[in-house]
Amino acid sequence: MSTGPNRILDEFAKLVTDAAGAAQGVRREVETAFKSQAERVLNSMDLVQREEFEALREMTLKVRAENERLASRVAELEAKLANSSDDAPDTVARRSAKTSSKK
């Protein structure tokens, strides 16, 4: 067994080691308590999780692209309809002439 100053230093080192271990345990407990409290607060705020946000963002981008594609298709069809409307009076006149000549 150690005697004198060496024994005091050994006891002091053991005490410091035990205190450091206890401090780590306290730190873990505080972190756990803080995380659970923060999680409770965030859940009560009704926030969206990152994964849900990203999924919704992707869906929105796809819908926006589809909407733009459909808008250009509608514009195309309207232009065709306008062109066929310009030709329509001639077509109507020809059809009515055919119909009246058959009577």
Side-chain angles (χ1 to χ4, degrees):
M1 224 178 166
S2 303
T3 59
N6 286 337
R7 182 173 177 213
I8 293 173
L9 289 176
D10 288 342
E11 290 294 322
F12 183 71
K14 184 179 175 187
L15 181 66
V16 169
T17 303
D18 291 343
Q24 282 183 332
V26 169
R27 190 194 83 203
R28 274 187 247 126
E29 287 293 323
V30 168
E31 284 177 352
T32 303
F34 178 78
K35 284 180 183 178
S36 74
Q37 185 65 26
E39 191 173 305
R40 237 180 275 130
V41 168
L42 291 175
N43 286 337
S44 70
M45 293 176 74
D46 198 28
L47 297 175
V48 176
Q49 291 183 354
R50 183 71 177 184
E51 294 83 19
E52 293 174 4
F53 174 80
E54 290 298 327
L56 188 59
R57 183 176 177 270
E58 287 296 318
M59 287 172 40
T60 304
L61 291 174
K62 287 179 183 177
V63 167
R64 183 179 292 160
E66 180 70 10
N67 193 15
E68 289 172 0
R69 186 187 70 77
L70 290 173
S72 67
R73 178 75 175 133
V74 166
E76 225 177 87
L77 291 173
E78 286 175 341
K80 284 182 183 178
L81 184 62
N83 288 340
S84 68
S85 296
D86 293 342
D87 297 338
D90 296 336
T91 306
V92 171
R94 277 186 266 142
R95 284 186 184 159
S96 64
K98 286 181 184 178
T99 309
S100 61
S101 64
K102 288 182 182 179
K103 290 183 181 178

Coordinates of all heavy atoms in Angstrom, one line a residue:
M1 N 0.8 -1.2 0.0 CA 0.0 0.0 0.0 C 0.9 1.2 0.0 O 1.9 1.3 0.6 CB -0.9 0.0 1.3 CG -2.2 0.4 1.0 SD -3.2 0.3 2.5 CE -4.5 1.1 1.9
S2 N 0.4 2.3 -0.7 CA 1.2 3.5 -0.7 C 1.0 4.3 0.5 O 0.0 4.2 1.2 CB 0.6 4.4 -1.9 OG 0.7 3.7 -3.1
T3 N 2.1 5.0 0.9 CA 2.0 5.8 2.1 C 2.4 7.2 1.7 O 3.1 7.5 0.7 CB 3.0 5.3 3.2 OG1 4.3 5.3 2.6 CG2 2.6 3.9 3.6
G4 N 2.0 8.1 2.5 CA 2.4 9.5 2.4 C 1.8 10.2 1.2 O 0.6 10.0 0.9
P5 N 2.6 11.1 0.6 CA 2.1 12.0 -0.5 C 1.5 11.2 -1.7 O 0.6 11.6 -2.3 CB 3.3 12.8 -0.9 CG 4.3 12.7 0.1 CD 4.0 11.4 0.9
N6 N 2.2 10.0 -2.0 CA 1.7 9.2 -3.1 C 0.3 8.7 -2.9 O -0.5 8.7 -3.8 CB 2.6 8.0 -3.4 CG 3.9 8.5 -4.0 OD1 4.0 9.5 -4.6 ND2 5.0 7.7 -3.9
R7 N 0.0 8.3 -1.7 CA -1.4 7.8 -1.4 C -2.4 8.9 -1.5 O -3.5 8.7 -2.0 CB -1.4 7.3 0.1 CG -2.7 6.7 0.4 CD -2.6 6.0 1.8 NE -4.0 5.6 2.1 CZ -4.4 5.5 3.3 NH1 -3.7 5.9 4.3 NH2 -5.6 5.1 3.5
I8 N -2.0 10.1 -1.1 CA -3.0 11.3 -1.2 C -3.2 11.6 -2.7 O -4.3 11.8 -3.1 CB -2.4 12.5 -0.5 CG1 -2.4 12.2 1.0 CG2 -3.2 13.7 -0.8 CD1 -1.6 13.3 1.8
L9 N -2.2 11.5 -3.5 CA -2.3 11.8 -4.9 C -3.2 10.7 -5.6 O -4.0 11.0 -6.5 CB -0.9 11.9 -5.6 CG -0.1 13.2 -5.3 CD1 1.2 13.1 -6.0 CD2 -0.9 14.4 -5.7
D10 N -2.9 9.5 -5.2 CA -3.7 8.4 -5.8 C -5.2 8.5 -5.4 O -6.1 8.3 -6.3 CB -3.2 7.0 -5.3 CG -1.9 6.6 -5.9 OD1 -1.5 7.2 -6.9 OD2 -1.2 5.7 -5.3
E11 N -5.5 8.9 -4.2 CA -6.9 9.1 -3.8 C -7.5 10.3 -4.5 O -8.7 10.2 -4.9 CB -6.9 9.3 -2.2 CG -6.6 8.1 -1.4 CD -7.7 7.0 -1.6 OE1 -8.9 7.3 -1.7 OE2 -7.3 5.8 -1.7
F12 N -6.7 11.3 -4.7 CA -7.2 12.5 -5.4 C -7.5 12.2 -6.8 O -8.5 12.6 -7.4 CB -6.2 13.7 -5.3 CG -6.6 14.9 -5.9 CD1 -7.7 15.7 -5.4 CD2 -6.0 15.4 -7.1 CE1 -8.1 16.8 -6.0 CE2 -6.5 16.5 -7.7 CZ -7.5 17.3 -7.2
A13 N -6.6 11.4 -7.5 CA -6.8 11.0 -8.9 C -8.1 10.1 -9.0 O -8.9 10.3 -9.9 CB -5.6 10.2 -9.4
K14 N -8.3 9.2 -8.0 CA -9.5 8.4 -8.1 C -10.7 9.3 -7.9 O -11.7 9.1 -8.6 CB -9.4 7.4 -6.9 CG -10.5 6.4 -6.9 CD -10.3 5.4 -5.8 CE -11.6 4.5 -5.7 NZ -11.5 3.6 -4.6
L15 N -10.7 10.2 -7.0 CA -11.8 11.1 -6.8 C -12.1 11.9 -8.0 O -13.3 12.1 -8.4 CB -11.5 12.1 -5.6 CG -12.5 13.1 -5.2 CD1 -13.7 12.3 -4.6 CD2 -12.0 14.0 -4.2
V16 N -11.1 12.4 -8.7 CA -11.3 13.2 -9.9 C -11.9 12.3 -11.0 O -12.8 12.7 -11.7 CB -10.0 13.9 -10.4 CG1 -10.1 14.4 -11.8 CG2 -9.5 14.9 -9.4
T17 N -11.4 11.1 -11.1 CA -11.9 10.2 -12.1 C -13.4 9.9 -11.9 O -14.2 9.9 -12.8 CB -11.1 8.9 -12.1 OG1 -9.7 9.2 -12.4 CG2 -11.6 7.9 -13.2
D18 N -13.7 9.6 -10.6 CA -15.1 9.3 -10.2 C -16.0 10.6 -10.5 O -17.1 10.4 -11.0 CB -15.2 8.9 -8.8 CG -14.6 7.6 -8.5 OD1 -14.4 6.8 -9.5 OD2 -14.4 7.2 -7.3
A19 N -15.5 11.7 -10.2 CA -16.2 13.0 -10.5 C -16.5 13.2 -12.0 O -17.5 13.6 -12.4 CB -15.5 14.2 -9.9
A20 N -15.4 12.9 -12.8 CA -15.6 13.0 -14.2 C -16.7 12.1 -14.7 O -17.5 12.4 -15.6 CB -14.3 12.8 -14.9
G21 N -16.7 10.8 -14.2 CA -17.7 9.9 -14.6 C -19.1 10.3 -14.2 O -20.0 10.2 -15.0
A22 N -19.2 10.8 -13.0 CA -20.5 11.3 -12.5 C -20.9 12.5 -13.4 O -22.1 12.7 -13.7 CB -20.4 11.7 -11.1
A23 N -20.0 13.4 -13.8 CA -20.3 14.6 -14.6 C -20.8 14.1 -16.0 O -21.7 14.7 -16.5 CB -19.1 15.5 -14.7
Q24 N -20.2 13.1 -16.5 CA -20.6 12.6 -17.8 C -22.1 12.0 -17.7 O -22.9 12.2 -18.6 CB -19.7 11.5 -18.3 CG -18.4 12.1 -19.0 CD -17.6 10.9 -19.5 OE1 -17.6 9.8 -19.1 NE2 -16.8 11.3 -20.5
G25 N -22.3 11.3 -16.6 CA -23.6 10.8 -16.4 C -24.7 11.9 -16.3 O -25.8 11.8 -16.9
V26 N -24.3 12.9 -15.6 CA -25.2 14.1 -15.4 C -25.5 14.8 -16.8 O -26.6 15.1 -17.1 CB -24.7 15.1 -14.4 CG1 -25.5 16.4 -14.4 CG2 -24.7 14.5 -13.0
R27 N -24.4 14.9 -17.5 CA -24.5 15.5 -18.9 C -25.4 14.7 -19.8 O -26.3 15.3 -20.4 CB -23.1 15.6 -19.5 CG -23.1 16.5 -20.8 CD -21.9 16.3 -21.6 NE -22.1 15.1 -22.4 CZ -21.1 14.4 -22.9 NH1 -19.9 14.7 -22.8 NH2 -21.4 13.3 -23.6
R28 N -25.3 13.4 -19.7 CA -26.2 12.5 -20.5 C -27.6 12.7 -20.1 O -28.5 12.8 -20.9 CB -25.8 11.1 -20.4 CG -24.7 10.7 -21.5 CD -24.4 9.2 -21.4 NE -23.0 9.1 -20.9 CZ -22.7 8.4 -19.9 NH1 -23.5 7.6 -19.3 NH2 -21.4 8.3 -19.5
E29 N -27.8 12.8 -18.8 CA -29.2 12.9 -18.3 C -29.8 14.3 -18.7 O -30.9 14.4 -19.1 CB -29.2 12.8 -16.8 CG -29.0 11.4 -16.2 CD -30.2 10.5 -16.6 OE1 -31.4 11.0 -16.6 OE2 -29.9 9.3 -16.9
V30 N -29.0 15.3 -18.6 CA -29.4 16.7 -19.0 C -29.7 16.7 -20.5 O -30.8 17.2 -21.0 CB -28.4 17.7 -18.7 CG1 -28.7 19.1 -19.3 CG2 -28.3 17.9 -17.2
E31 N -28.9 16.1 -21.4 CA -29.1 16.0 -22.8 C -30.4 15.3 -23.1 O -31.2 15.7 -24.0 CB -27.9 15.4 -23.5 CG -26.7 16.2 -23.7 CD -25.5 15.5 -24.3 OE1 -25.6 14.3 -24.6 OE2 -24.6 16.2 -24.6
T32 N -30.6 14.2 -22.5 CA -31.8 13.4 -22.7 C -33.0 14.2 -22.3 O -34.0 14.2 -23.1 CB -31.7 12.1 -21.9 OG1 -30.6 11.4 -22.3 CG2 -33.0 11.2 -22.2
A33 N -33.0 14.8 -21.2 CA -34.1 15.6 -20.7 C -34.4 16.8 -21.7 O -35.6 17.1 -22.0 CB -33.9 16.1 -19.3
F34 N -33.3 17.4 -22.1 CA -33.5 18.6 -23.1 C -34.1 18.1 -24.4 O -35.0 18.7 -24.9 CB -32.1 19.2 -23.3 CG -32.2 20.4 -24.3 CD1 -32.7 21.6 -23.9 CD2 -31.8 20.2 -25.6 CE1 -32.8 22.7 -24.8 CE2 -31.9 21.3 -26.5 CZ -32.4 22.5 -26.1
K35 N -33.6 17.0 -24.9 CA -34.1 16.5 -26.2 C -35.5 16.1 -26.1 O -36.3 16.4 -27.0 CB -33.3 15.2 -26.6 CG -31.9 15.6 -27.2 CD -31.2 14.3 -27.6 CE -29.8 14.7 -28.1 NZ -29.0 13.5 -28.5
S36 N -35.9 15.4 -25.0 CA -37.3 15.0 -24.9 C -38.2 16.3 -24.7 O -39.3 16.3 -25.3 CB -37.5 14.1 -23.7 OG -37.5 14.7 -22.5
Q37 N -37.8 17.3 -24.0 CA -38.5 18.5 -23.8 C -38.6 19.2 -25.2 O -39.7 19.7 -25.5 CB -37.9 19.4 -22.8 CG -38.7 20.6 -22.4 CD -40.1 20.3 -21.8 OE1 -40.3 19.3 -21.2 NE2 -41.0 21.2 -22.0
A38 N -37.5 19.3 -25.9 CA -37.5 20.0 -27.2 C -38.5 19.3 -28.2 O -39.2 19.9 -28.9 CB -36.1 20.1 -27.8
E39 N -38.4 18.0 -28.1 CA -39.3 17.2 -29.0 C -40.8 17.4 -28.7 O -41.6 17.6 -29.6 CB -39.0 15.7 -28.9 CG -39.6 14.8 -29.9 CD -39.1 13.4 -29.8 OE1 -37.9 13.2 -29.9 OE2 -40.0 12.5 -29.6
R40 N -41.1 17.5 -27.4 CA -42.4 17.7 -26.9 C -42.9 19.1 -27.4 O -44.0 19.3 -27.9 CB -42.5 17.7 -25.4 CG -43.5 16.7 -24.9 CD -43.6 16.6 -23.4 NE -42.6 15.7 -22.9 CZ -41.7 16.0 -22.0 NH1 -41.8 17.1 -21.3 NH2 -40.8 15.1 -21.6
V41 N -42.1 20.1 -27.3 CA -42.4 21.5 -27.7 C -42.6 21.5 -29.2 O -43.6 22.1 -29.7 CB -41.3 22.5 -27.3 CG1 -41.5 23.8 -28.0 CG2 -41.3 22.6 -25.8
L42 N -41.7 20.9 -30.0 CA -41.8 20.9 -31.5 C -43.1 20.1 -31.9 O -43.8 20.5 -32.9 CB -40.6 20.3 -32.1 CG -39.3 21.1 -32.0 CD1 -38.1 20.4 -32.5 CD2 -39.5 22.4 -32.7
N43 N -43.4 19.0 -31.3 CA -44.6 18.3 -31.6 C -45.9 19.1 -31.3 O -46.9 19.0 -32.0 CB -44.7 17.0 -30.9 CG -43.7 15.9 -31.4 OD1 -43.3 16.0 -32.6 ND2 -43.4 15.0 -30.6
S44 N -45.9 19.9 -30.3 CA -47.0 20.7 -29.9 C -47.2 21.9 -30.9 O -48.3 22.4 -31.0 CB -46.9 21.2 -28.5 OG -45.9 22.2 -28.4
M45 N -46.1 22.2 -31.6 CA -46.2 23.3 -32.6 C -46.7 22.9 -33.9 O -46.9 23.7 -34.8 CB -44.8 24.0 -32.7 CG -44.3 24.6 -31.5 SD -42.6 25.3 -31.7 CE -42.9 26.7 -32.8
D46 N -46.9 21.6 -34.1 CA -47.5 21.1 -35.3 C -46.7 21.4 -36.6 O -47.2 21.9 -37.6 CB -49.0 21.5 -35.5 CG -49.7 20.7 -36.5 OD1 -49.4 19.5 -36.6 OD2 -50.6 21.2 -37.1
L47 N -45.3 21.2 -36.4 CA -44.4 21.5 -37.5 C -44.4 20.3 -38.5 O -44.6 19.2 -38.1 CB -43.0 21.8 -37.0 CG -42.9 23.0 -36.1 CD1 -41.5 23.1 -35.5 CD2 -43.2 24.3 -36.9
V48 N -44.0 20.5 -39.7 CA -43.9 19.5 -40.7 C -42.5 18.9 -40.7 O -41.5 19.6 -40.6 CB -44.2 20.1 -42.1 CG1 -44.0 19.0 -43.2 CG2 -45.6 20.7 -42.2
Q49 N -42.4 17.6 -40.8 CA -41.1 17.0 -40.8 C -40.4 17.2 -42.2 O -41.1 17.4 -43.2 CB -41.2 15.5 -40.6 CG -41.6 15.1 -39.1 CD -41.7 13.7 -38.9 OE1 -41.5 12.9 -39.8 NE2 -41.9 13.3 -37.7
R50 N -39.1 17.2 -42.2 CA -38.4 17.5 -43.4 C -38.7 16.5 -44.5 O -38.9 17.0 -45.7 CB -36.9 17.3 -43.1 CG -36.0 17.7 -44.2 CD -36.0 19.2 -44.4 NE -35.1 19.5 -45.5 CZ -34.9 20.8 -45.8 NH1 -35.5 21.7 -45.2 NH2 -34.0 21.1 -46.8
E51 N -38.9 15.2 -44.2 CA -39.2 14.3 -45.3 C -40.6 14.6 -45.9 O -40.7 14.5 -47.2 CB -39.3 12.8 -44.7 CG -37.9 12.3 -44.2 CD -37.6 12.8 -42.8 OE1 -38.5 13.2 -42.1 OE2 -36.4 12.8 -42.4
E52 N -41.6 14.9 -45.1 CA -42.9 15.3 -45.6 C -42.8 16.5 -46.5 O -43.4 16.6 -47.5 CB -43.9 15.5 -44.5 CG -44.2 14.3 -43.7 CD -45.1 14.6 -42.5 OE1 -45.5 15.7 -42.3 OE2 -45.3 13.6 -41.7
F53 N -42.0 17.5 -46.1 CA -41.9 18.8 -46.8 C -41.2 18.5 -48.2 O -41.7 19.0 -49.2 CB -41.0 19.8 -46.0 CG -40.7 21.0 -46.8 CD1 -41.6 22.0 -46.9 CD2 -39.4 21.1 -47.4 CE1 -41.3 23.2 -47.6 CE2 -39.1 22.3 -48.1 CZ -40.0 23.3 -48.2
E54 N -40.2 17.7 -48.2 CA -39.5 17.4 -49.5 C -40.4 16.6 -50.4 O -40.4 16.8 -51.6 CB -38.2 16.6 -49.2 CG -37.1 17.4 -48.6 CD -36.6 18.5 -49.4 OE1 -36.6 18.4 -50.6 OE2 -36.2 19.5 -48.8
A55 N -41.2 15.7 -49.9 CA -42.1 14.9 -50.7 C -43.2 15.8 -51.3 O -43.5 15.7 -52.5 CB -42.8 13.8 -49.9
L56 N -43.7 16.7 -50.5 CA -44.7 17.7 -51.0 C -44.1 18.6 -52.0 O -44.8 19.0 -53.0 CB -45.3 18.4 -49.8 CG -46.5 19.3 -50.2 CD1 -47.7 18.5 -50.8 CD2 -47.0 20.0 -49.0
R57 N -42.9 19.0 -51.8 CA -42.2 19.9 -52.8 C -42.0 19.2 -54.1 O -42.3 19.8 -55.2 CB -40.8 20.3 -52.2 CG -40.1 21.3 -53.0 CD -38.7 21.6 -52.3 NE -38.0 22.5 -53.1 CZ -37.1 22.1 -54.0 NH1 -36.8 20.8 -54.2 NH2 -36.4 23.0 -54.7
E58 N -41.6 18.0 -54.1 CA -41.5 17.2 -55.4 C -42.8 17.1 -56.1 O -42.9 17.3 -57.3 CB -40.9 15.8 -55.1 CG -39.4 15.8 -54.7 CD -38.6 16.3 -55.8 OE1 -38.8 16.0 -57.0 OE2 -37.6 17.1 -55.5
M59 N -43.9 16.8 -55.3 CA -45.2 16.7 -56.0 C -45.6 18.0 -56.6 O -46.2 18.1 -57.7 CB -46.2 16.3 -54.9 CG -46.1 14.8 -54.5 SD -47.2 14.3 -53.1 CE -48.7 15.1 -53.4
T60 N -45.3 19.1 -55.9 CA -45.7 20.4 -56.3 C -45.0 20.8 -57.6 O -45.5 21.3 -58.6 CB -45.4 21.5 -55.3 OG1 -46.1 21.2 -54.1 CG2 -45.8 22.9 -55.7
L61 N -43.7 20.5 -57.7 CA -42.9 20.7 -58.9 C -43.4 19.9 -60.1 O -43.6 20.5 -61.2 CB -41.4 20.4 -58.7 CG -40.7 21.3 -57.7 CD1 -39.3 20.8 -57.5 CD2 -40.7 22.8 -58.2
K62 N -43.8 18.7 -59.9 CA -44.4 17.9 -60.9 C -45.7 18.4 -61.4 O -46.0 18.5 -62.6 CB -44.6 16.4 -60.5 CG -43.3 15.7 -60.3 CD -43.5 14.3 -59.8 CE -42.2 13.5 -59.7 NZ -42.4 12.2 -59.1
V63 N -46.6 18.8 -60.5 CA -47.9 19.4 -60.8 C -47.7 20.7 -61.6 O -48.4 20.9 -62.5 CB -48.7 19.6 -59.5 CG1 -50.0 20.4 -59.8 CG2 -49.1 18.2 -59.0
R64 N -46.8 21.5 -61.2 CA -46.5 22.8 -61.9 C -46.1 22.5 -63.3 O -46.5 23.2 -64.2 CB -45.5 23.6 -61.1 CG -45.2 25.0 -61.7 CD -44.2 25.8 -61.0 NE -44.8 26.1 -59.7 CZ -44.1 26.5 -58.7 NH1 -42.8 26.5 -58.7 NH2 -44.6 26.8 -57.5
A65 N -45.2 21.6 -63.5 CA -44.7 21.3 -64.8 C -45.9 20.7 -65.7 O -46.0 21.1 -66.9 CB -43.6 20.2 -64.8
E66 N -46.7 19.9 -65.1 CA -47.8 19.3 -65.8 C -48.8 20.4 -66.2 O -49.4 20.5 -67.3 CB -48.5 18.2 -65.0 CG -49.7 17.6 -65.6 CD -49.4 16.8 -66.8 OE1 -48.2 16.5 -67.1 OE2 -50.4 16.4 -67.5
N67 N -49.0 21.4 -65.2 CA -49.9 22.5 -65.5 C -49.4 23.4 -66.6 O -50.2 23.8 -67.5 CB -50.1 23.3 -64.2 CG -51.2 24.3 -64.2 OD1 -52.1 24.2 -65.1 ND2 -51.2 25.3 -63.3
E68 N -48.1 23.6 -66.7 CA -47.6 24.4 -67.7 C -47.7 23.7 -69.1 O -48.0 24.3 -70.1 CB -46.1 24.7 -67.5 CG -45.9 25.7 -66.3 CD -44.5 25.9 -65.9 OE1 -43.6 25.2 -66.5 OE2 -44.2 26.7 -65.0
R69 N -47.5 22.4 -69.1 CA -47.6 21.6 -70.3 C -49.1 21.6 -70.8 O -49.4 21.9 -72.0 CB -47.2 20.1 -70.1 CG -47.2 19.3 -71.3 CD -46.9 17.8 -71.0 NE -48.0 17.2 -70.3 CZ -49.2 16.8 -70.9 NH1 -49.3 17.0 -72.2 NH2 -50.1 16.2 -70.3
L70 N -50.0 21.5 -69.9 CA -51.4 21.5 -70.2 C -51.9 22.9 -70.7 O -52.7 23.1 -71.6 CB -52.3 21.1 -69.1 CG -52.2 19.6 -68.7 CD1 -53.0 19.3 -67.5 CD2 -52.7 18.7 -69.9
A71 N -51.3 24.0 -70.1 CA -51.6 25.3 -70.5 C -51.2 25.6 -71.9 O -51.9 26.2 -72.8 CB -51.0 26.4 -69.6
S72 N -50.0 25.1 -72.3 CA -49.5 25.3 -73.6 C -50.3 24.4 -74.6 O -50.6 24.9 -75.7 CB -48.0 24.9 -73.8 OG -47.8 23.5 -73.5
R73 N -50.8 23.3 -74.2 CA -51.6 22.4 -75.0 C -53.0 23.1 -75.3 O -53.5 23.1 -76.4 CB -51.8 21.1 -74.4 CG -52.7 20.1 -75.1 CD -52.0 19.5 -76.3 NE -52.9 18.6 -76.9 CZ -53.2 18.5 -78.2 NH1 -52.5 19.3 -79.0 NH2 -54.0 17.6 -78.7
V74 N -53.5 23.7 -74.2 CA -54.8 24.4 -74.4 C -54.6 25.6 -75.4 O -55.5 25.9 -76.2 CB -55.3 24.9 -73.0 CG1 -56.5 25.9 -73.2 CG2 -55.8 23.7 -72.2
A75 N -53.5 26.3 -75.2 CA -53.3 27.5 -76.1 C -53.2 27.0 -77.5 O -53.7 27.6 -78.5 CB -52.0 28.2 -75.7
E76 N -52.5 25.9 -77.7 CA -52.4 25.3 -79.1 C -53.7 24.9 -79.7 O -54.0 25.2 -80.8 CB -51.6 24.0 -78.9 CG -50.5 23.7 -79.9 CD -49.7 22.4 -79.6 OE1 -50.2 21.4 -80.0 OE2 -48.7 22.5 -78.9
L77 N -54.6 24.3 -78.9 CA -55.9 23.9 -79.3 C -56.8 25.1 -79.6 O -57.6 25.1 -80.5 CB -56.5 22.9 -78.3 CG -55.9 21.5 -78.2 CD1 -56.5 20.8 -77.0 CD2 -56.1 20.8 -79.4
E78 N -56.7 26.1 -78.8 CA -57.4 27.3 -79.0 C -57.0 28.0 -80.3 O -57.9 28.5 -81.0 CB -57.3 28.3 -77.8 CG -58.0 27.9 -76.6 CD -57.8 28.8 -75.4 OE1 -56.8 29.5 -75.4 OE2 -58.6 28.7 -74.4
A79 N -55.7 28.0 -80.6 CA -55.2 28.5 -81.8 C -55.8 27.8 -83.0 O -56.2 28.3 -84.0 CB -53.7 28.6 -81.9
K80 N -55.8 26.4 -82.9 CA -56.3 25.6 -84.0 C -57.8 25.9 -84.2 O -58.3 26.0 -85.3 CB -56.1 24.1 -83.7 CG -54.7 23.7 -83.9 CD -54.6 22.2 -83.7 CE -53.2 21.7 -83.9 NZ -53.1 20.2 -83.6
L81 N -58.5 26.0 -83.0 CA -60.0 26.3 -83.1 C -60.2 27.6 -83.7 O -61.2 27.8 -84.5 CB -60.5 26.2 -81.7 CG -62.0 26.4 -81.5 CD1 -62.7 25.2 -82.3 CD2 -62.4 26.4 -80.1
A82 N -59.4 28.6 -83.4 CA -59.6 30.0 -84.0 C -59.3 29.9 -85.5 O -60.1 30.5 -86.3 CB -58.6 30.9 -83.3
N83 N -58.3 29.1 -85.9 CA -58.1 29.0 -87.3 C -59.2 28.3 -88.0 O -59.6 28.6 -89.1 CB -56.8 28.2 -87.6 CG -55.5 29.0 -87.2 OD1 -55.6 30.3 -87.2 ND2 -54.4 28.4 -87.0
S84 N -59.8 27.2 -87.4 CA -60.9 26.5 -88.0 C -62.1 27.3 -88.0 O -63.0 27.2 -88.9 CB -61.1 25.2 -87.4 OG -61.5 25.4 -86.1
S85 N -62.3 28.3 -87.1 CA -63.4 29.2 -87.0 C -63.4 30.1 -88.2 O -64.4 30.5 -88.7 CB -63.5 29.9 -85.7 OG -63.6 29.1 -84.6
D86 N -62.2 30.6 -88.5 CA -62.0 31.5 -89.7 C -62.5 30.8 -91.0 O -63.1 31.4 -91.9 CB -60.6 31.9 -89.8 CG -60.1 32.8 -88.7 OD1 -61.0 33.3 -88.0 OD2 -58.9 33.0 -88.5
D87 N -62.2 29.5 -91.1 CA -62.6 28.7 -92.2 C -64.1 28.3 -92.2 O -64.7 27.9 -93.2 CB -61.8 27.4 -92.4 CG -60.3 27.8 -92.6 OD1 -60.0 28.9 -93.0 OD2 -59.4 26.9 -92.3
A88 N -64.7 28.3 -91.0 CA -66.0 27.8 -90.8 C -67.1 28.5 -91.7 O -67.9 27.8 -92.2 CB -66.4 27.9 -89.3
P89 N -67.1 29.8 -91.9 CA -68.2 30.4 -92.7 C -68.2 29.8 -94.1 O -69.3 29.5 -94.6 CB -67.9 31.9 -92.7 CG -67.1 32.1 -91.5 CD -66.3 30.8 -91.2
D90 N -67.0 29.5 -94.7 CA -67.0 28.9 -96.0 C -67.5 27.5 -96.0 O -68.3 27.1 -96.9 CB -65.5 28.9 -96.6 CG -65.0 30.3 -96.8 OD1 -65.8 31.2 -96.9 OD2 -63.7 30.4 -96.7
T91 N -67.1 26.8 -94.9 CA -67.6 25.4 -94.8 C -69.1 25.3 -94.6 O -69.8 24.5 -95.2 CB -66.9 24.7 -93.6 OG1 -65.5 24.9 -93.8 CG2 -67.2 23.2 -93.5
V92 N -69.6 26.2 -93.8 CA -71.0 26.3 -93.5 C -71.8 26.6 -94.8 O -72.8 26.0 -95.1 CB -71.3 27.3 -92.4 CG1 -72.8 27.5 -92.2 CG2 -70.7 26.8 -91.0
A93 N -71.3 27.6 -95.5 CA -71.9 28.0 -96.7 C -71.9 26.8 -97.7 O -72.9 26.6 -98.4 CB -71.2 29.2 -97.3
R94 N -70.8 26.1 -97.9 CA -70.8 25.0 -98.8 C -71.7 23.9 -98.4 O -72.4 23.3 -99.2 CB -69.3 24.4 -98.9 CG -68.5 25.2 -99.8 CD -67.1 24.6 -100.0 NE -66.2 25.2 -99.1 CZ -65.3 24.7 -98.4 NH1 -65.0 23.4 -98.5 NH2 -64.5 25.3 -97.5
R95 N -71.8 23.6 -97.1 CA -72.7 22.6 -96.6 C -74.2 23.0 -96.8 O -75.0 22.2 -97.2 CB -72.5 22.3 -95.1 CG -71.2 21.5 -94.8 CD -71.1 21.2 -93.4 NE -69.8 20.5 -93.2 CZ -69.2 20.4 -92.0 NH1 -69.8 20.9 -90.9 NH2 -68.1 19.8 -91.9
S96 N -74.5 24.2 -96.5 CA -75.9 24.7 -96.7 C -76.2 24.7 -98.2 O -77.3 24.4 -98.6 CB -76.1 26.0 -96.1 OG -75.3 27.0 -96.7
A97 N -75.3 25.0 -99.1 CA -75.5 24.9 -100.5 C -75.8 23.5 -101.0 O -76.7 23.3 -101.8 CB -74.3 25.5 -101.3
K98 N -75.0 22.5 -100.5 CA -75.2 21.1 -100.8 C -76.6 20.7 -100.3 O -77.3 20.0 -101.0 CB -74.2 20.2 -100.2 CG -72.8 20.4 -100.9 CD -71.8 19.4 -100.2 CE -70.5 19.5 -100.8 NZ -69.5 18.7 -100.1
T99 N -77.0 21.1 -99.1 CA -78.2 20.7 -98.5 C -79.4 21.3 -99.3 O -80.4 20.6 -99.6 CB -78.3 21.1 -97.1 OG1 -77.1 20.7 -96.4 CG2 -79.5 20.5 -96.3
S100 N -79.3 22.6 -99.7 CA -80.4 23.2 -100.4 C -80.6 22.7 -101.8 O -81.6 22.6 -102.4 CB -80.3 24.7 -100.4 OG -79.1 25.1 -101.1
S101 N -79.5 22.3 -102.4 CA -79.5 21.7 -103.8 C -80.1 20.3 -103.8 O -80.7 19.9 -104.8 CB -78.2 21.7 -104.4 OG -77.3 20.8 -103.8
K102 N -80.1 19.6 -102.7 CA -80.6 18.3 -102.7 C -82.2 18.3 -102.5 O -82.9 17.4 -102.9 CB -80.0 17.5 -101.5 CG -78.6 17.1 -101.7 CD -78.1 16.2 -100.6 CE -76.7 15.8 -100.8 NZ -76.1 15.1 -99.7
K103 N -82.7 19.4 -102.0 CA -84.1 19.5 -101.8 C -84.9 19.8 -103.0 O -85.0 19.9 -104.0 CB -84.4 20.7 -100.8 CG -84.0 20.4 -99.4 CD -84.3 21.5 -98.5 CE -83.9 21.3 -97.1 NZ -84.2 22.3 -96.2

